[in-house]
Amino acid sequence: MTDKPARIKVAIQKSGRLTEQSLDLLQRCGLKYTKGPDQLIAFGENMPVDVLLVRDDDIPGLVRDDVCDLGIAGLNIVEEKRLHFLQQEPIEPFRILRSLDYGHCRLAFAYPDGSPLRNVASLEGRRIATSYPSIVRDYLRRQNVTATVVEFSGAVEIAPSLGRADAICDLVSTGATLIANKLREGETILESHAVLLQTPVQVPPEKAEWIGKLLQRVEGVMQVRESKYIMMHAPKAALAQIAALLPGSEAPTVLPLDGRDDRVAVHVVCRENVFWETLESLKAAGATSVLVMPVEKMLA
Ligand code: ATP
Ligand code: ZN
């Protein structure tokens, strides 16, 4: 056997709610790729990084088994599989490197309209339909509630009307599906978003270097999405007040304005979104010619 080239494999969802944003994230990290003929793998052209396109449910397992070095999946799937794997073997199956800023949803209980069930405490001795049996069992245990968990792989919301369960625990984003199925939303047990996973296995140095680089770029992409570059003219006397109005900003650059002693130009990077209210407050503090610009790239 010749040495395997040190290419990093990243597993992402093949087709679903996380696919577009996961591919977009990798592209923003500088990755250019061509898809293979079977559409199951995308080969990195300019970095030693290949992308495996799979079902989201398979991603935590692929990372745990070191088939892939990295993976992106929803925290809901990641946590469910983590609890499941921990039962088989009491060692952390993967490392969660960081949260990503998309795929937001929540895992929540829901109770049929008109039923006496209102909260988790009232579920004692009842049946709960879910696709997240490990998370739900773990939660019930911590709440000291004994109930039967009925596993559904999809269409959980119809379980009560089919007479298969008394309540459900499912992913919600807007809540429209619950309303359409005459269900009332209850306790949230997990706030979810996409996360970046890494294999628990020690990676060789050549790979570790690229993983480090990729992680730093992901960090940069996340920061840039929220960050704004702000320029304005402001009274010198109001500088402290203006700095206090800018969310998550570092020390501003202050430049003289030709022929003005009392006013300066202020340039600053804000690491949080800038809203109209902030601009109005800046104006009230004496700022003029306020410009807010998107940041293209950032390397902290
Ligand atoms: P696959 O074919 O890959 O198994 P799937 O049907 O299980 O796909 P999707 O519906 O595409 O998965 O959802 C993928 C992930 O998107 C979810 O696991 C969750 O983390 C996130 N997500 C965000 N909003 C929602 C939502 N409203 N409903 C379900 N999942 C959501
Ligand atoms: Zn799935």
Side-chain angles (χ1 to χ4, degrees):
M1 276 288 286
T2 51
D3 280 349
K4 260 203 310 190
R7 294 188 70 83
I8 293 161
K9 286 202 199 75
V10 187
I12 67 165
Q13 193 184 22
K14 181 176 163 62
S15 130
R17 294 176 204 256
L18 302 178
T19 306
E20 201 183 311
Q21 280 156 298
S22 301
L23 282 171
D24 178 68
L25 173 61
L26 293 171
Q27 279 170 327
R28 283 175 196 271
C29 289
L31 183 69
K32 292 194 168 62
Y33 57 81
T34 35
K35 279 199 180 167
D38 52 7
Q39 307 279 305
L40 292 177
I41 189 158
F43 299 100
E45 294 169 7
N46 59 339
M47 298 188 203
V49 176
D50 297 326
V51 185
L52 241 69
L53 298 145
V54 295
R55 284 201 60 190
D56 65 347
D57 314 69
D58 296 333
I59 293 170
L62 289 169
V63 176
R64 175 187 79 149
D65 297 340
D66 198 33
V67 175
C68 292
D69 307 278
L70 300 173
I72 297 176
L75 185 60
N76 48 305
I77 295 279
V78 169
E79 188 57 12
E80 175 64 22
K81 299 288 178 185
R82 192 181 76 89
L83 293 172
H84 176 75
F85 292 142
L86 279 175
Q87 273 181 350
Q88 297 176 343
E89 205 180 355
I91 44 167
E92 284 299 328
F94 32 69
R95 277 179 272 172
I96 299 181
L97 290 183
R98 65 159 298 140
S99 295
L100 304 172
D101 60 0
Y102 57 92
H104 292 279
C105 56
R106 55 194 182 272
L107 183 62
F109 282 97
Y111 309 98
D113 283 345
S115 104
L117 303 173
R118 314 226 154 266
N119 51 37
V120 172
S122 65
L123 290 174
E124 185 67 35
R126 303 291 189 134
R127 295 162 306 161
I128 306 153
T130 187
S131 307
Y132 300 90
S134 302
I135 298 179
V136 173
R137 280 198 195 97
D138 184 65
Y139 182 80
L140 293 172
R141 197 177 314 118
R142 285 186 283 116
Q143 300 295 313
N144 288 317
V145 170
T146 309
T148 306
V149 174
V150 186
E151 191 172 345
F152 267 64
S153 56
V156 176
E157 63 281 356
I158 62 167
S161 56
L162 293 178
R164 298 288 308 278
D166 304 300
I168 69 165
C169 189
D170 201 12
L171 291 180
V172 187
S173 50
T174 61
T177 311
L178 294 184
I179 293 168
N181 286 281
K182 299 194 166 56
L183 294 159
R184 259 178 301 115
E185 188 173 344
E187 298 92 332
T188 291
I189 62 170
L190 181 78
E191 292 283 356
S192 188
H193 46 260
V195 294
L196 180 62
L197 300 180
Q198 185 181 344
T199 166
V201 173
Q202 175 107 33
V203 290
E206 323 85 79
K207 272 192 179 184
E209 195 189 322
W210 267 103
I211 290 176
K213 216 180 261 188
L214 208 55
L215 189 59
Q216 195 179 43
R217 292 183 187 184
V218 168
E219 214 80 51
V221 172
M222 295 292 121
Q223 275 180 5
V224 155
R225 292 219 251 243
E226 287 271 274
S227 296
K228 295 284 179 276
Y229 192 79
I230 305 179
M231 306 199 302
M232 72 192 94
H233 292 175
K236 254 186 196 167
L239 279 179
Q241 191 189 350
I242 282 173
L245 287 170
L246 296 166
S249 61
E250 284 171 4
T253 307
V254 180
L255 305 162
L257 281 175
D258 231 8
R260 296 294 299 254
D261 283 341
D262 55 333
R263 293 180 71 78
V264 284
V266 181
H267 292 196
V268 68
V269 174
C270 272
R271 304 230 170 177
E272 286 170 40
N273 227 331
V274 178
F275 299 102
W276 281 111
E277 288 76 5
T278 309
L279 302 189
E280 285 153 7
S281 307
L282 288 172
K283 189 160 179 253
T288 53
S289 311
V290 185
L291 281 182
V292 180
M293 290 175 294
V295 175
E296 164 79 22
K297 283 193 178 64
M298 189 186 277
L299 196 63

